Amino acid sequence: MTSETITAEAAGTWKLGDLSVNRIGFGAMRLTGSAAFHLGTPSDRKRSVTVLRRALELGVNHIDTAAFYFSSLRSANELINSALAPYPDDLVIVTKVGPHRDYTGEWGTSARPDQLRGQVEENLRQLGRDHLDVVNLRRMRQDSIAEHFGALAELREAGLIRHLGISGVEPRHLAEAQAIAPVVCVQNQYGLHSPDAGADAMLRMCGEQGIAFVPFFAIAGEGGAQGSSGSEDDEIRAVARAHEATPAQVRLAWTLQQGRHVLAIPGTGNPDHLAANVAAGALRLTADELARLGAAYRQAG
């Protein structure tokens, strides 16, 4: 398949609350370096700005970011602000709060409920916005998210946030959050790399309720923030060859075909990889291919 003329519209659309987005979006984590956070070498600023602007040219209107996405020289939010402001009316920027990194890049204690306003305001400042389109509460091992989510619901009522989501959660946390305020998306790790009954249940639950399910590390798999290891299952390679596609495109296509409510937020600092990721939204796997990949998924791990 060719990626030269395929845009994000090919993947179809879904809504985050009242905000319509193309199902192929962009994750900003890898804008700042060769690996996320402080794990790699800082990115070339001009190249990262080019990637962001090219993403919009390719029809991407959903960007996932966070104030804690930074390396020793680069900040994802600052890059987004510099490259894209003034922002197009249809661009939806999704942020997340909860985790904390200090100025050296080291991870600190996650935010208490009373500290979430400060994290929201930091995202507002870095992005140059007067409100945030969607804010995900990233659960940081706490058993209950009620107090944290309630703090964000208050900021939503105050007009600082338009919509709320949750991340790194189990089905019981979704019910807990919905008792407080509407939830427009759930962002969990999910992909062909490893079977996860909990993630499968959450995907189904979101579909039944019309909530967007937004997997992260769908390409990187177990490599996580370090990025993909490059090793691939034989079945994925076979499907990729049949479509003249890459294994990464097959991973994204499989993820998107798990339900119309599933979004994708692949991240990259490489313009060529960006175009290939967007083009994956046009890749339609056959029923036989989905069955074969599904069998491989269930046997993985």
Side-chain angles (χ1 to χ4, degrees):
M1 60 186 292
T2 176
S3 59
E4 294 303 316
T5 59
I6 299 174
T7 66
E9 285 86 350
T13 62
W14 192 257
K15 282 195 170 184
L16 297 171
D18 60 345
L19 303 171
S20 181
V21 296
N22 292 321
R23 292 176 61 215
I24 280 277
F26 178 81
M29 179 183 285
R30 295 294 297 277
L31 278 177
T32 64
S34 59
F37 313 127
H38 58 297
L39 301 175
T41 56
S43 62
D44 177 80
R45 178 181 174 80
K46 183 177 180 180
R47 189 187 196 199
S48 294
V49 167
T50 297
V51 166
L52 282 164
R53 291 174 176 166
R54 182 59 178 154
L56 266 61
E57 292 172 356
L58 289 171
V60 170
N61 60 2
H62 167 210
I63 294 177
D64 177 83
T65 187
F68 55 87
Y69 286 178
F70 63 88
S71 65
S72 59
L73 293 180
R74 304 280 176 257
S75 156
N77 281 355
E78 187 277 327
L79 288 166
I80 291 168
N81 190 346
S82 297
L84 304 180
Y87 300 107
D89 291 341
D90 69 337
L91 178 62
V92 176
I93 299 179
V94 179
T95 60
K96 65 182 67 64
V97 295
H100 169 71
R101 294 174 69 208
D102 64 25
Y103 70 94
T104 70
E106 294 302 314
W107 292 100
T109 304
S110 57
R112 301 188 308 269
D114 63 302
Q115 295 175 317
L116 290 177
R117 184 182 184 109
Q119 291 193 345
V120 166
E121 290 177 343
E122 181 65 8
N123 277 282
L124 288 168
R125 183 190 68 78
Q126 292 178 2
L127 291 165
R129 307 286 301 263
D130 62 3
H131 75 280
L132 299 174
D133 296 323
V134 183
V135 173
N136 283 312
L137 172 66
R138 172 70 177 178
R139 183 173 75 96
M140 300 298 291
R141 296 178 296 276
Q142 64 264 44
D143 184 61
S144 169
I145 64 170
E147 193 174 357
H148 287 77
F149 194 79
L152 291 182
E154 291 178 2
L155 298 179
R156 175 176 172 268
E157 290 297 319
L160 297 183
I161 301 170
R162 189 163 179 175
H163 296 295
L164 297 174
I166 50 180
S167 176
V169 295
E170 301 170 13
R172 62 190 177 90
H173 298 117
L174 175 58
E176 191 176 36
Q178 287 176 310
I180 298 169
V183 174
V184 302
C185 57
V186 172
Q187 189 180 104
N188 277 9
Q189 184 168 353
Y190 183 77
L192 271 172
H193 55 282
S194 180
D196 186 331
D200 290 337
M202 181 63 79
L203 185 149
R204 290 193 300 271
M205 183 180 295
C206 287
E208 292 166 358
Q209 299 184 32
I211 297 169
F213 183 78
V214 190
F216 59 86
F217 296 151
I219 294 177
E222 294 177 350
Q226 293 276 12
S228 173
S229 66
S231 62
E232 289 293 351
D233 179 90
D234 289 342
E235 200 65 68
I236 295 176
R237 290 188 181 279
V239 173
R241 285 194 298 271
H243 289 273
E244 297 184 354
T246 68
Q249 288 176 316
V250 170
R251 286 178 176 273
L252 287 173
W254 179 86
T255 301
L256 288 169
Q257 286 184 241
Q258 299 310 299
R260 291 183 57 251
H261 65 298
V262 179
L263 309 184
I265 48 171
T268 183
N270 183 313
D272 294 332
H273 291 171
L274 167 70
N277 289 343
V278 170
L283 177 56
R284 301 293 184 264
L285 305 178
T286 67
D288 176 67
E289 289 167 340
L290 287 170
R292 285 158 48 198
L293 290 172
Y297 164 73
R298 290 187 293 273
Q299 293 171 8

